[in-house]
Amino acid sequence: MARDFDIIVYGATGFTGRLVAEYLATSGATRWAMAGRSLAKLEEVRDLIGAPADTPLVVADADDAASLCRMCERTAVVLTTVGPYQLYGSDLVAACASTGTGYVDLCGEPAWMRQMIDAHHEEAQRTGARIVFSCGFDSIPFDLGVLTLQDHAKATYGRPAPRVKGRVKTMKGGFSGGTAASLKATLAAAARDPSLLKLLTSPFALTPGFSGPHQPTGLIPEYDSSIQAWVAPFVMAPINTKNVHRTNFLLGAAYGADFVYDEMMVAGLGDIGKAAADAIAKFNPFSGDKGPKPGEGPSKEDRDTGHYDLLFVGLMPGGERIDTVVTGDLDPGYGSTSKMIAETALCLAETESAGGVWTPGALLGAPLRDRLQARAGLTFETA
């Protein structure tokens, strides 16, 4: 079925959606449109970001399922920044699955993601819809970082690394207001339905029918002898690890059925590092009313001066070690995330592949990694 657009940015009047639209307006993309609830606000944002005056605008509302279906029927891919997705995203996923439309989001809500997998994976396979969750800082750098390391392991040693450690070396820039809102919505949902706690705590929540070996929890500070430093819990690990295991699952256990993976933050060396790790473990970045609200975000200067540096350590059975380093040139929560999801949507629109509920690594893999290195300020290096 012929579509009017390659990409529609749904939520273009929000803070992150506006960044995505601004990026597309300067990326050379031609067949794209902006969508949201208010035509007047869409016109205002279009002019504010300097997009061409003839940029198409589409009115759609999360509370109007029919409007979502009409939007989906017009485009190859819907890029949505309208979260928390468990509150505003279910009807859109259903509309994409039923109309065979590609879908990318910034979701870090594993219980809802599993619900969407159970509800729509088979229909998406039937219609050809490619549903791709978690296309921002959670979880692309981690998903593709492990994929890169494992590709190297198989090319060099003829088998994947059964043990991989993800370590956040440095990170400047906060988490988005949408991330905080999603976490609060997830905790509220778990309070209403305690059965969700099993999904939230299981590393294999997104691999229906498969449970691998015991995984480290990453909840307690520890000394990591492989990097000779103290490490502390990393707040995004509960979603990233689940996505990495789903990639392995979707690729037919390409990392091995015995694959073990965890993520932690590097706190430092010696007694100072131990004290820092203990302090990080006790700190909740989402507590209270600090930080941006959904729709708010840091200044351009703050986004431009942000960055992150991630290390993935692969340990082979014979004692060999593989190090893969992933870096990003902007703050993780907004600047880098907006570029990553935009390039994922462009990559998806240009790629023919089977329908279903996917991860970026399992569906787009190396082509997306190459695209992010060429256009989105990420690097992937292995030694």
Side-chain angles (χ1 to χ4, degrees), residues 70-373:
R70 290 193 297 271
M71 175 178 68
C72 291
E73 289 171 346
R74 298 188 64 189
T75 187
V77 177
V78 172
L79 183 165
T80 174
T81 62
V82 181
Y85 295 96
Q86 60 196 284
L87 301 180
Y88 306 114
S90 297
D91 286 346
L92 180 55
V93 173
C96 286
S98 66
T99 59
T101 304
Y103 169 101
V104 297
D105 72 13
L106 298 172
C107 188
E109 305 164 41
W112 177 80
M113 291 161 63
R114 175 57 185 269
Q115 292 168 353
M116 295 298 99
I117 291 168
D118 292 344
H120 301 296
H121 181 65
E122 290 185 0
E123 183 179 22
Q125 288 180 313
R126 179 182 63 81
T127 64
R130 286 91 48 84
I131 311 296
V132 190
F133 299 129
S134 306
C135 299
F137 184 64
D138 52 331
S139 298
I140 281 180
F142 304 89
D143 188 15
L144 294 183
V146 175
L147 181 79
T148 300
L149 185 149
Q150 296 290 23
D151 285 348
H152 183 85
K154 286 181 280 188
T156 305
Y157 301 107
R159 61 158 295 172
R163 176 71 171 104
V164 176
K165 299 179 178 184
R167 298 294 181 254
V168 181
K169 293 173 63 180
T170 60
M171 184 175 69
K172 181 183 179 185
F175 300 101
S176 73
T179 296
S182 292
L183 178 60
K184 291 176 182 179
T186 296
L187 295 176
R192 294 191 301 270
D193 182 2
S195 68
L196 295 179
L197 289 173
K198 185 176 181 180
L199 290 176
L200 295 174
T201 56
S202 170
F204 301 100
L206 304 182
T207 61
F210 173 78
S211 292
H214 174 75
Q215 305 287 316
T217 66
L219 297 177
I220 300 173
E222 63 180 59
Y223 181 76
D224 185 345
S225 59
S226 63
I227 61 171
Q228 299 183 332
W230 283 89
V231 294
F234 175 47
V235 70
M236 304 311 300
I239 179 61
N240 292 335
T241 53
K242 291 175 177 60
N243 277 319
V244 168
H245 283 298
R246 180 161 177 80
T247 292
N248 186 36
F249 171 76
L250 291 170
L251 293 177
Y255 307 162
D258 59 345
F259 176 60
V260 176
Y261 176 68
D262 73 324
E263 290 177 5
M264 300 190 79
M265 292 188 68
V266 178
L269 307 176
D271 291 341
I272 294 176
K274 184 179 186 303
D278 289 338
I280 292 170
K282 296 174 183 177
F283 176 67
N284 178 3
F286 302 118
S287 63
D289 295 324
K290 296 181 180 179
K293 304 293 187 295
E296 300 176 349
S299 68
K300 185 178 187 304
E301 180 182 0
D302 288 339
R303 297 195 304 271
D304 289 349
T305 57
H307 56 82
Y308 51 90
D309 186 349
L310 315 174
L311 170 66
F312 299 88
V313 179
L315 304 176
M316 301 300 295
E320 303 91 349
R321 169 174 167 161
I322 303 166
D323 284 3
T324 294
V325 174
V326 179
T327 67
D329 66 343
L330 298 177
D331 80 295
Y334 295 92
S336 189
T337 280
S338 60
K339 292 197 294 184
M340 280 188 278
I341 191 173
E343 289 296 342
T344 303
L346 289 165
C347 189
L348 185 62
E350 296 172 4
T351 303
E352 293 186 5
S353 49
V357 181
W358 293 91
T359 61
L363 183 65
L364 301 172
L368 177 59
R369 179 184 62 211
D370 295 343
R371 188 180 193 111
L372 294 175
Q373 290 196 105

